[in-house]
Amino acid sequence: MTTHMMIELIAVLTAVRGDIPQVMTIDHGRQLPSGPLESTHRSLQAGVRAWVERQTGHPIGHVEQLYTFADHDRILSSTQGRMIAISYLALTRSHAGETGWRDWYDYFPWENCKSDEGRTSLALIERLLCHWVAGMGHAAERVRQWQRCVSLFAIGDMVAWNDELVLQRYELLYEAGLVAEAGCAPDRAVPGQSMHHDHRRILATAMARLRARIRYRPVVFELMPEAFTLLQLQRVMESLSGVHVHKQNFRRLIMQQQLVEETGEIEERTGGRPARLFRFCGEVRQARQFVGTKIPLVQP
Amino acid sequence: MTTHMMIELIAVLTAVRGDIPQVMTIDHGRQLPSGPLESTHRSLQAGVRAWVERQTGHPIGHVEQLYTFADHDRILSSTQGRMIAISYLALTRSHAGETGWRDWYDYFPWENCKSDEGRTSLALIERLLCHWVAGMGHAAERVRQWQRCVSLFAIGDMVAWNDELVLQRYELLYEAGLVAEAGCAPDRAVPGQSMHHDHRRILATAMARLRARIRYRPVVFELMPEAFTLLQLQRVMESLSGVHVHKQNFRRLIMQQQLVEETGEIEERTGGRPARLFRFCGEVRQARQFVGTKIPLVQP
DNA sequence: TCGACTTATACTCAATATGAGCATAAATGG
DNA sequence: CCATTTATGCTCATATTGAGTATAAGTCGA
């Protein structure tokens, strides 16, 4: 009796191509890669790592457990099958010419406030949510839910946009019946590709976690090439978090924390003045790996 | 074939008595309460909640998943039995006259830097770690591990104490063979009660998570009585985090964030000038529940 | 009753951190 | 040569933070 078949590992494998965060998918972008826990795996983390590295051929940097959930439907139908899913966030560096990679913001256009597409998406969501709230019976409930919409989507400038609330925003849209996973009609749905099962929800969890991590931990560098300019680093930070940063202040903070050191090389193809290339000070930082990192992320 | 027997839920149920954080235990303080996932549970979270509330009779406030791990020994011996453990942090308010509650710092004396016991414990750890590192073969490894000791235990004032690194500190002591769980001789072990299996490790995870949470989320109030003075609140924050806060600055931040409102009552038994009583502004805050909370935690 | 001690609460002040802008340098392409 | 682009150095006002002073209002013991 092999009982470990019931444990499923789901990976949100993330990389950055150019400036754009991407996620590894299967089934034409409809699912996240997943696999069973095998008895040869020494631990869950090792299981994910081994399996993803075999699948992509790339070494994985940061691996982090996200969340474990019971698949409710499967519990009740007491047939054999997957019962517990454990999701992981994994970061890798490059992936030239591989298939299965999709942009984060194909699934969550509204999370990319930097882009025009994101802003129009947000404007549409605002109208749809307004309509959803208006259709509620109780006035008190109407007020409560509208407050929730306002604080999650930063409607009306009363509250600032919080880039870490990816999951909460998705859940609100789900409750409002504005995503395909909630079974709504396509014309009523918000823009953004849907996924099978609750995989888009898991992706939202991963995005939120990564956005939180890059603020305090030097994990961005797991996604960067060996050498990079400060603007490249800034662009990656911006596209991960979905918000703009002030260029000079960003440089100031990166430099004064001594997160990076010059390689001595110069990047010529900047389109303007050539830029110095930097590398992550992994060696020096490893010693004090528990000292926090501060990355400034502000609104435009 | 009931397959759900293999999933174990482990709860770190935390409350505060007086000013002291406590954890619910069984087996004379040697284990954390745990139970199997049942098919009647609608979700994992609901399972933990239902089961803990039945066990203690108290309503639970905040519940949060901590970590999922595979019990390695059980995987290899392919007998039936528990295989996956999912741990949770749960907060509750009061527990007058119940058994099983133990102080956090019975298990982690060194995490309570406020107390004299914590400081002597830390001084001893410093000596033991120094001895451990000195016995290493390679000089490079010696340097690397000593750096790790220094940054985790804030040895020599080169780096500040980080109260959120509870788990990392425990893991270092485990690797150094200084805790009973690592199979060391009692006279070589660091002070602090041990637990069965990896339960002390799970407790460390829970403490770290709660210390991180109370900084940015108003979860402290789940542990406070209905009405409290600002000093009581401060004392609870201090004993959860294990570090001192500056009284006036603490008040300033709490007040200007409008986390609390006056009840109008006065607490007379302060030992000094009577203090105003406050309650948590849950209603007002619920609307903007995603706005961050800032609690100042500094070194003495 | 007085005085030492405790806690509560208000306010000040200096050091930093942060957000935003200005200015200059060094490349490109017409 | 000039407009444009990016890089990089510097300033400045404001907000936040850490730490201290001052005063108020109780308790307790001699």
Side-chain angles (χ1 to χ4, degrees):
Chain A
M1 180 179 83
T2 54
T3 48
H4 55 265
M5 290 301 291
M6 320 162 49
I7 309 297
E8 190 183 28
L9 301 175
I10 301 181
V12 181
L13 180 58
T14 291
V16 170
R17 178 150 56 186
D19 297 334
I20 302 169
Q22 299 189 310
V23 59
M24 173 65 107
T25 63
I26 58 173
D27 190 19
H28 301 284
R30 306 298 303 273
Q31 291 190 61
L32 295 169
S34 63
L37 175 67
E38 292 168 17
S39 57
T40 56
H41 295 149
R42 299 187 46 187
S43 69
L44 293 177
Q45 180 116 341
V48 175
R49 194 176 278 275
W51 155 67
V52 171
E53 288 187 348
R54 193 173 55 223
Q55 195 161 83
T56 68
H58 282 296
I60 310 282
H62 181 84
V63 173
E64 171 175 350
Q65 196 180 92
L66 285 174
Y67 205 74
T68 300
F69 47 91
D71 195 329
H72 187 208
D73 305 328
R74 305 276 181 158
I75 285 186
L76 293 186
S77 72
S78 64
T79 62
Q80 54 86 12
R82 305 179 317 213
M83 195 168 125
I84 298 289
I86 311 176
S87 54
Y88 278 83
L89 168 66
L91 305 183
T92 188
R93 210 168 287 259
S94 86
H95 55 273
E98 291 169 19
T99 62
W101 293 98
R102 302 289 162 120
D103 289 3
W104 270 15
Y105 301 117
D106 290 351
Y107 303 97
F108 295 97
W110 61 86
E111 293 293 344
N112 195 12
C113 312
K114 284 191 317 165
S115 74
D116 288 333
E117 191 192 350
R119 274 187 295 273
T120 57
S121 171
L122 266 174
L124 173 59
I125 286 173
E126 195 171 321
R127 284 199 301 279
L128 291 171
L129 284 176
C130 195
H131 188 255
W132 171 61
V133 168
M136 289 178 172
H138 288 290
E141 182 69 1
R142 211 153 47 217
V143 168
R144 210 177 63 81
Q145 292 293 359
W146 182 244
Q147 283 277 16
R148 196 171 151 219
C149 296
V150 164
S151 54
L152 284 177
F153 285 94
I155 297 171
D157 287 339
M158 289 299 289
V159 63
W161 175 266
N162 185 338
D163 61 280
E164 295 181 19
L165 302 177
V166 189
L167 179 61
Q168 288 87 339
R169 280 188 284 267
Y170 176 75
E171 285 181 333
L172 177 59
L173 295 177
Y174 190 102
E175 278 182 53
L178 295 173
V179 293
E181 287 91 334
C184 80
D187 61 310
R188 284 205 53 205
V190 142
Q193 195 188 326
S194 67
M195 291 180 115
H196 281 146
H197 311 300
D198 48 0
H199 284 197
R200 190 150 60 145
R201 194 176 190 285
I202 296 173
L203 177 55
T205 309
M207 288 169 61
R209 185 73 68 90
L210 186 52
R211 285 181 170 185
R213 279 283 174 273
I214 56 174
R215 274 203 160 74
Y216 307 111
R217 282 295 167 85
V219 283
V220 217
F221 302 104
E222 312 264 7
L223 297 166
M224 300 298 294
E226 188 58 39
F228 48 84
T229 69
L230 290 184
L231 185 60
Q232 284 170 347
L233 181 62
Q234 181 188 340
R235 290 269 161 78
V236 170
M237 291 288 301
E238 286 178 330
S239 59
L240 288 172
S241 65
V243 300
H244 277 290
V245 311
H246 184 263
K247 186 169 174 172
Q248 293 93 323
N249 292 348
F250 178 79
R251 301 175 110 265
R252 178 172 62 188
L253 238 67
I254 297 293
M255 298 302 275
Q256 80 187 16
Q257 285 178 109
Q258 300 183 294
L259 288 169
V260 297
E261 61 186 4
E262 287 189 58
T263 65
E265 314 265 294
I266 298 287
E267 170 65 63
E268 304 280 358
R269 325 163 144 271
T270 60
R273 172 176 168 176
R276 288 180 289 175
L277 282 168
F278 293 85
R279 74 168 70 88
F280 175 51
C281 294
E283 329 76 61
V284 182
R285 301 268 318 158
Q286 212 144 34
R288 41 179 197 134
Q289 60 186 301
F290 305 109
V291 190
T293 303
K294 285 183 296 187
I295 309 277
L297 290 172
V298 290
Q299 267 47 250
Chain B
M1 182 178 82
T2 54
T3 49
H4 54 266
M5 291 300 292
M6 323 162 49
I7 309 297
E8 189 182 29
L9 300 175
I10 302 181
V12 181
L13 180 59
T14 292
V16 169
R17 177 148 57 185
D19 297 333
I20 301 169
Q22 299 189 311
V23 59
M24 172 65 105
T25 62
I26 59 174
D27 188 20
H28 303 284
R30 305 299 302 273
Q31 291 190 60
L32 295 169
S34 62
L37 176 67
E38 292 168 17
S39 57
T40 56
H41 295 149
R42 299 187 45 188
S43 69
L44 294 177
Q45 180 115 343
V48 175
R49 195 176 277 275
W51 155 66
V52 171
E53 288 186 348
R54 192 174 56 225
Q55 195 159 80
T56 68
H58 282 295
I60 310 280
H62 181 84
V63 173
E64 172 177 350
Q65 196 180 91
L66 284 175
Y67 204 75
T68 301
F69 46 92
D71 197 327
H72 187 208
D73 306 329
R74 305 277 182 159
I75 285 187
L76 294 187
S77 71
S78 63
T79 62
Q80 53 85 14
R82 304 179 318 213
M83 192 168 126
I84 298 288
I86 310 175
S87 54
Y88 279 82
L89 167 65
L91 304 183
T92 188
R93 211 167 285 259
S94 86
H95 54 271
E98 292 169 18
T99 61
W101 291 99
R102 302 290 162 119
D103 289 2
W104 271 13
Y105 301 116
D106 288 352
Y107 302 98
F108 296 96
W110 61 87
E111 293 294 342
N112 194 12
C113 313
K114 286 190 318 169
S115 75
D116 288 333
E117 192 191 351
R119 274 186 294 274
T120 56
S121 172
L122 266 175
L124 174 57
I125 285 175
E126 195 172 320
R127 283 199 302 279
L128 291 171
L129 285 177
C130 195
H131 187 256
W132 172 61
V133 168
M136 287 179 174
H138 288 290
E141 180 69 2
R142 209 152 50 216
V143 169
R144 209 178 64 81
Q145 293 292 359
W146 182 243
Q147 283 277 15
R148 194 171 152 219
C149 296
V150 164
S151 54
L152 285 176
F153 285 94
I155 297 171
D157 287 338
M158 288 298 289
V159 62
W161 175 265
N162 185 337
D163 62 279
E164 296 180 20
L165 302 177
V166 188
L167 179 60
Q168 287 87 340
R169 279 188 284 268
Y170 176 73
E171 285 182 333
L172 177 60
L173 294 177
Y174 190 101
E175 278 182 52
L178 295 172
V179 294
E181 286 91 335
C184 81
D187 61 311
R188 285 206 52 204
V190 142
Q193 196 188 327
S194 66
M195 290 181 114
H196 281 147
H197 312 300
D198 48 1
H199 284 199
R200 188 149 61 145
R201 195 176 190 285
I202 296 173
L203 177 56
T205 309
M207 288 169 61
R209 185 72 68 90
L210 186 52
R211 284 181 171 187
R213 279 284 174 272
I214 56 173
R215 275 203 160 76
Y216 307 109
R217 282 297 166 86
V219 283
V220 218
F221 302 104
E222 311 265 7
L223 297 166
M224 300 297 296
E226 188 59 38
F228 48 84
T229 69
L230 291 185
L231 185 59
Q232 284 169 347
L233 181 63
Q234 180 188 341
R235 291 268 160 78
V236 170
M237 290 288 301
E238 286 179 329
S239 59
L240 287 172
S241 64
V243 299
H244 277 291
V245 311
H246 184 260
K247 185 170 177 170
Q248 294 93 322
N249 293 347
F250 179 79
R251 303 176 109 264
R252 177 172 61 187
L253 238 66
I254 297 291
M255 299 302 273
Q256 79 187 17
Q257 286 179 108
Q258 301 183 294
L259 288 169
V260 297
E261 61 185 4
E262 287 189 58
T263 67
E265 315 265 292
I266 298 288
E267 171 65 66
E268 304 279 359
R269 324 162 144 272
T270 59
R273 173 176 169 176
R276 290 179 287 176
L277 281 168
F278 293 85
R279 75 167 71 88
F280 176 50
C281 294
E283 329 77 61
V284 182
R285 301 269 318 159
Q286 212 142 34
R288 42 179 197 131
Q289 61 185 300
F290 306 108
V291 191
T293 302
K294 285 182 296 187
I295 308 276
L297 289 171
V298 291
Q299 266 46 248

